Amino acid sequence: MTKHHKTLELDKVLALLADHAGSAATRTIALELRPAQSVRQAGALLALTVEAHRLCGRQGTPSIVLPDMRDPLKRVELGAALSLRELLDIARLLSTGRGLQTWKKRSGGEAKDCANPLDSLFKLLYADKGLEEDLTGAILSEEEVHDRASGELYDIRRKIRTAHSKARDILDKIIRSSTHQKHLQEQLVTMRSGRFVVPVRAEFRGEIKGLTHDTSASGATVFVEPMSVVEQNNLIRDLEAAERREIARILLEFSQRVGAVSRELEGSYDALIELDLIFAKTRLADSMKASEPILVSEGGTHLKKARHPLIPADKIVPIDIWLGDEFDTLVITGPNTGGKTVALKTLGLLTLMAGCGLLLPVTEESRVRYYESVLADIGDEQSIEQSLSTFSGHMTNIVSILGQAGRDSLVLMDELGAGTDPVEGAALAVAIIDHLRGVGAKTAATTHYAEIKMYALQTPGVENASCEFDVNTLRPTYRLLIGTPGRSNAFAISGRLGLPEHIIEAAKAGVSRENTRFEELVQSLESTRNALESEREQAEQIRRQAEQARQRAEKALEETEKQKESALNSAREQAKSLVEQVRFDSGRLLDELDALKKQKDKADFAANVADIRTTFKSYLTDLENSADPVREKPRDENYRLPRPLKSGDVVTLVEFGSQGIVITPADVGGFVQVQAGALKTKVHQDNLRLVEAPKATLSGGSVSIKQVVGSVKAQASSSVSLRGMRFEEAMLELERFLDNAVLSGLPSVTVIHGKGTGTLRDAVRKCLRAHKSVRSFRQGAYGEGEAGVTIAELK
């Protein structure tokens, strides 16, 4: 990292980035991150961060935690065997890659013809679920292999357990033996050098024949392996050696499987580390409330509401700063601690961050110019070791900067010309700025010198800026005002701090007339700016009020449109109900005509025809009235149902003036399901009138309720065809058909849905299974339609 990068505190931002990384390897890369070498590379890095930030906004930011695996992958590629821990790391690598692939699919992407900058990285992720599951199933931890890792290992461990059991049985008999109890220090079995032994008192070591393996620190106890258990101990040692050989074989076999795909795993690991770095950038962006800047190779930088990322959000004042369009040099003036240095660092640091592919703490539509080099001379450069004064330290840096600066350079200089004679320092500062402009560099510098402020006023391409200071409170506002030179405010500040007036007046008298006129000019400009700022705020307030009025008007219009749409929907529903009612009444009239035809030979036929005409005219009048959208339906507010409604009751629908049959009684809310012709609807019981008479009078005779139901039964069909219908249409038709079949008393029905893909068949059977009136259903038999039909038995 260059000295200029550290001066602008890029290393501290990269430390914040490293804190958001999941893996140690990623943290190392984050700390070593440098701005890209070209605007194209910087744009590619920025595009990766922007796309990852967009995806993370949908599904959250995934976590990638991996150890450094480059060395194990290199070794396994050469045929080496990996340890248990390293194989578990391989399993984690496979699992992480597979999890990231799932996350990407779940997050969704752009259209196929739109290139996603992250796709190339996700394509490198390698997933082998079989190898992953074999590794996690065989390896329990960094120190333990599962018994079922192989059949041979399971058999060896079974034999070891058996040998242990036999050895313990032999030793248990010895320690429980009354003969040897006085010879033992304790009645227990222990192990020395991997072999079962018993603790024997030193004075009785010859009483228990066997091999001595150890002696206690006091010498009072010797640990003896009885001869009767030596054979079992030897068997255990042999089996344990076989176990180690089998585990080594298993590890080698897994290592060979990993080695066969080591290249793919290396590519997947590198892609995961790069993705982890990109996701760390998105986390850092969220913490800074950052957004995407527009990166350009020509033109200038324009940062809107820019915030220094290392200053707490509750203390920083966002600034607008631009450079490189109307002017190539910015001279920032103002009092000490007013924010001049922070403005310089913000400009330089955000430029470097954009080159690293980081989102910036600015508002949207901010623009950043890419520079090949960002050169900074900021801070106290005094060096005791090198015997340099502050002025000498600054000049040493500036000499180095002048040797590097060119057309694609951004140069930032703090307190240019300070530390020496003011007249010489100001002249030197102007000469340095002229040189930098001559080589095409973009420059921002802070100063206190009035000569440099005047130079900026008089020179095209050089602009003044100032950090605002409130003299009344003696506090800086930290606002950067481009286009206005700053005042030193030394006299005003001194007066507010209590310096006697006569001293201040004497000081003013000592200031040259040119400087006084310049300060007066600056004060006049500042007054004008304040007035314009006030007018701008008023205009902005008026604009906001107009915008609020526009939004209220749009909201009112939207509400009107919603009400209009609601009214149209209501009208459509009423029209639909009206059509259904017409169908129902038309069918009823047709039934009456059919009944009348059968009575044509009777003597009162002519009178019956006259009655029918009267009834028909009355029906037309009722139909016209029901079509009137503003007509109020007459209601008897005092009417009360004489009894609770039950299935089969004939009722009058007050809203339509038509009759229907109750399908289900009132629910807890008082709503009754009514079948009125082909229309099945829910109506509140307050809007129904019970038809008490068992017979409804009809001209020329009477029609009983049984006859009405019989008419429905006669019109009902025992089969329905749903082929060619959309899903919703088919389900509505099936519900209507089943209700009619139940009212008609049909014992069974046939639903024709066709074979096709089986989707409609499954939906039909799901509906039948849930319908309360269906007892059972089956597939059609041979000759009935087979898989193309479903036959349902009704209750």
Side-chain angles (χ1 to χ4, degrees):
M1 178 171 291
T2 68
K3 177 182 178 181
H4 302 290
H5 293 169
K6 289 185 177 179
T7 297
L8 293 171
E9 302 177 299
L10 178 62
D11 55 328
K12 296 180 181 179
V13 173
L14 296 183
L16 294 179
L17 176 63
D19 290 340
H20 289 286
S23 300
T26 309
R27 287 191 283 274
T28 301
I29 295 173
L31 293 172
E32 296 174 351
L33 196 62
R34 300 294 178 267
Q37 297 299 308
S38 68
V39 66
R40 184 175 181 179
Q41 293 178 2
L45 291 175
L46 192 59
L48 289 171
T49 308
V50 170
E51 178 61 20
H53 196 256
R54 183 185 67 83
L55 293 179
C56 292
R58 295 179 178 179
Q59 291 290 335
T61 307
S63 177
I64 301 175
V65 181
L66 290 172
D68 192 340
M69 302 188 63
R70 292 187 179 89
D71 179 63
L73 289 173
K74 289 293 184 186
R75 287 192 292 106
V76 79
E77 186 178 353
L78 297 174
L82 299 181
S83 66
L84 290 174
R85 181 186 60 79
E86 290 170 334
L87 287 172
L88 283 176
D89 290 341
I90 295 294
R92 188 191 304 176
L93 172 61
L94 291 167
S95 173
T96 304
R98 184 168 56 84
L100 259 291
Q101 289 176 340
T102 303
W103 177 87
K104 177 64 164 54
K105 292 177 182 177
R106 192 171 61 243
S107 298
E110 302 295 338
K112 293 183 179 179
D113 57 347
C114 296
N116 186 322
L118 286 176
D119 283 347
S120 59
L121 288 174
F122 278 97
K123 288 178 181 177
L124 291 174
L125 298 181
Y126 180 73
D128 185 340
K129 193 173 182 181
L131 176 59
E132 176 193 338
E133 291 179 345
D134 288 347
L135 287 169
T136 54
I139 303 174
L140 297 177
S141 68
E142 297 181 6
E143 300 176 350
E144 186 177 2
V145 177
H146 197 283
D147 289 357
R148 298 289 184 178
S150 74
E152 180 67 20
L153 181 63
Y154 179 81
D155 187 55
I156 291 172
R157 287 182 171 174
R158 180 181 57 78
K159 290 178 180 178
I160 289 175
R161 288 190 290 271
T162 301
H164 275 196
S165 178
K166 289 182 179 179
R168 279 192 167 279
D169 288 344
I170 294 172
L171 293 171
D172 284 345
K173 290 179 181 178
I174 292 175
I175 63 177
R176 291 194 182 97
S177 169
S178 57
T179 304
H180 295 300
Q181 282 185 3
K182 64 180 180 179
H183 304 146
L184 298 175
Q185 192 71 261
E186 292 181 83
Q187 291 184 340
L188 59 82
V189 176
T190 185
M191 295 194 76
R192 288 293 185 274
S193 302
R195 303 177 74 86
F196 287 108
V197 296
V198 292
V200 180
R201 297 176 186 271
E203 61 269 24
F204 295 117
R205 71 169 62 197
E207 297 300 326
I208 298 180
K209 304 299 180 182
L211 304 176
T212 301
H213 285 278
D214 198 5
T215 304
S216 66
S218 64
T221 305
V222 293
F223 296 93
V224 177
E225 177 185 6
M227 295 302 299
S228 56
V229 83
V230 169
E231 182 179 354
Q232 287 300 320
N233 276 337
N234 288 340
L235 176 60
I236 291 171
R237 295 292 290 270
D238 291 342
L239 289 172
E240 288 174 345
E243 178 188 30
R244 289 191 293 272
R245 289 193 298 272
E246 179 60 16
I247 290 175
R249 186 197 67 77
I250 292 170
L251 297 185
L252 180 60
E253 180 180 328
F254 275 128
S255 298
Q256 290 171 346
R257 290 178 63 182
V258 171
V261 293
S262 60
R263 294 291 179 88
E264 290 84 353
L265 289 172
E266 285 179 10
S268 183
Y269 175 76
D270 291 339
L272 284 170
I273 294 302
E274 189 168 353
L275 285 170
D276 187 25
L277 179 62
I278 294 170
F279 290 137
K281 291 179 180 179
T282 68
R283 294 188 188 96
L284 179 62
D286 289 338
S287 69
M288 296 189 303
K289 295 181 174 59
S291 60
E292 174 191 4
I294 301 171
L295 190 65
V296 296
S297 58
E298 297 292 339
T301 292
H302 192 156
L303 302 176
K304 301 178 181 180
K305 303 297 181 185
R307 293 167 278 116
H308 195 289
L310 300 178
I311 300 177
D314 58 341
K315 296 181 179 179
I316 188 66
V317 176
I319 62 172
D320 291 345
I321 184 168
W322 59 93
L323 173 66
D325 286 326
E326 302 91 350
F327 49 88
D328 56 35
T329 301
L330 186 65
V331 176
I332 306 175
T333 54
N336 291 329
T337 70
K340 301 189 304 297
T341 303
V342 172
L344 274 188
K345 285 189 173 183
T346 300
L347 175 60
L349 180 56
L350 297 194
T351 301
L352 294 175
M353 288 172 61
C356 294
L358 296 171
L359 302 187
L360 306 183
V362 295
T363 58
E364 294 181 355
E365 302 301 321
S366 290
R367 187 171 71 250
V368 179
R369 161 80 182 272
Y370 171 83
Y371 294 99
E372 290 183 0
S373 60
V374 178
L375 310 171
D377 174 50
I378 299 174
D380 186 1
E381 297 297 332
Q382 186 178 30
S383 173
I384 296 176
E385 292 181 359
Q386 299 180 20
S387 300
L388 295 177
S389 66
T390 300
F391 177 76
S392 299
H394 278 295
M395 279 301 108
T396 301
N397 278 343
I398 290 173
V399 168
S400 174
I401 288 172
L402 294 179
Q404 301 177 58
R407 184 179 179 278
D408 285 322
S409 299
L410 173 64
V411 178
L412 307 170
M413 295 178 291
D414 194 24
E415 299 296 347
L416 181 60
T420 188
D421 178 77
V423 176
E424 293 181 355
L428 194 58
V430 170
I432 291 171
I433 291 175
D434 280 338
H435 173 81
L436 290 171
R437 296 189 69 209
V439 299
K442 303 298 183 291
T443 305
T446 67
T447 184
H448 285 285
Y449 294 146
E451 291 86 351
I452 302 179
K453 302 177 192 178
M454 186 64 71
Y455 165 78
L457 282 173
Q458 297 173 344
T459 307
V462 182
E463 186 62 83
N464 270 305
S466 61
C467 289
E468 191 177 51
F469 189 87
D470 190 338
V471 180
N472 295 322
T473 62
L474 297 182
R475 292 179 181 275
T477 66
Y478 300 105
R479 294 177 60 202
L480 183 67
L481 308 173
I482 294 181
T484 304
R487 301 170 60 197
S488 63
N489 294 308
F491 296 149
I493 294 173
S494 301
R496 293 283 296 176
L497 292 175
L499 190 68
E501 186 65 27
H502 69 277
I503 297 178
I504 296 174
E505 290 299 326
K508 287 181 179 180
V511 177
S512 67
R513 179 59 184 163
E514 289 78 8
N515 283 340
T516 302
R517 288 179 60 191
F518 179 77
E519 288 294 326
E520 290 172 352
L521 174 62
V522 171
Q523 184 174 3
S524 175
L525 288 174
E526 188 170 352
S527 299
T528 303
R529 182 193 60 78
N530 289 333
L532 291 174
E533 185 74 13
S534 177
E535 292 179 4
R536 187 192 66 80
E537 290 179 358
Q538 292 177 5
E540 179 64 21
Q541 184 177 2
I542 293 172
R543 187 197 65 77
R544 285 197 300 267
Q545 291 174 352
E547 178 66 18
Q548 292 172 357
R550 184 187 64 79
Q551 291 177 355
R552 287 195 297 268
E554 288 182 352
K555 186 175 181 180
L557 180 60
E558 184 179 352
E559 289 295 328
T560 303
E561 290 294 331
K562 287 182 179 178
Q563 293 174 3
K564 176 182 175 183
E565 184 64 24
S566 177
L568 287 173
N569 289 334
S570 178
R572 291 189 189 102
E573 291 296 325
Q574 291 180 3
K576 182 178 178 182
S577 299
L578 184 60
V579 169
E580 294 294 341
Q581 183 61 32
V582 169
R583 288 178 180 172
F584 177 77
D585 290 338
S586 298
R588 187 182 63 187
L589 288 173
L590 289 174
D591 289 341
E592 291 182 3
L593 289 173
D594 289 340
L596 188 61
K597 287 178 182 178
K598 297 176 182 179
Q599 301 171 10
K600 63 182 179 180
D601 296 330
K602 294 184 178 180
D604 58 350
F605 179 72
N608 290 340
V609 170
D611 291 341
I612 286 292
R613 284 198 183 98
T614 303
T615 303
F616 184 67
K617 288 180 180 179
S618 175
Y619 166 69
L620 289 178
T621 301
D622 293 341
L623 185 60
E624 289 174 356
N625 291 335
S626 65
D628 182 1
V630 297
R631 176 178 174 271
E632 287 289 336
K633 304 297 180 184
R635 291 192 181 184
D636 182 4
E637 298 296 339
N638 296 323
Y639 178 82
R640 295 291 183 272
L641 289 170
R643 59 175 175 79
L645 296 175
K646 62 180 185 296
S647 299
D649 282 342
V650 178
V651 292
T652 299
L653 285 74
V654 176
E655 293 291 334
F656 303 108
S658 60
Q659 290 187 349
I661 299 174
V662 174
I663 300 175
T664 58
D667 57 18
V668 292
F671 285 90
V672 180
Q673 194 169 31
V674 178
Q675 181 82 34
L679 177 67
K680 183 173 70 174
T681 183
K682 272 194 171 183
V683 184
H684 197 277
Q685 60 186 3
D686 291 345
N687 296 325
L688 298 176
R689 301 292 181 264
L690 178 64
V691 179
E692 290 282 13
K695 294 184 179 181
T697 303
L698 188 68
S699 58
S702 62
V703 180
S704 67
I705 294 175
K706 290 183 179 180
Q707 287 176 316
V708 174
V709 175
S711 175
V712 175
K713 185 183 297 186
Q715 295 177 6
S717 172
S718 62
S719 66
V720 63
S721 176
L722 307 179
R723 291 175 296 183
M725 294 185 183
R726 295 194 305 272
F727 176 83
E728 293 82 3
E729 181 183 4
M731 293 301 100
L732 288 173
E733 180 61 18
L734 179 58
E735 288 281 354
R736 187 198 64 79
F737 168 73
L738 291 174
D739 290 338
N740 285 342
V742 171
L743 287 174
S744 302
L746 296 178
S748 65
V749 293
T750 301
V751 182
I752 305 169
H753 43 66
K755 298 179 180 178
T757 61
T759 302
L760 184 57
R761 179 191 63 224
D762 294 339
V764 165
R765 292 179 179 176
K766 183 178 180 180
C767 178
L768 294 174
R769 189 177 294 109
H771 201 284
K772 61 183 180 181
S773 297
V774 176
R775 176 179 289 108
S776 62
F777 59 86
R778 61 178 175 82
Q779 180 177 300
Y782 180 78
E784 292 179 325
E786 300 179 22
V789 302
T790 298
I791 298 174
E793 298 292 331
L794 303 180
K795 295 180 181 178

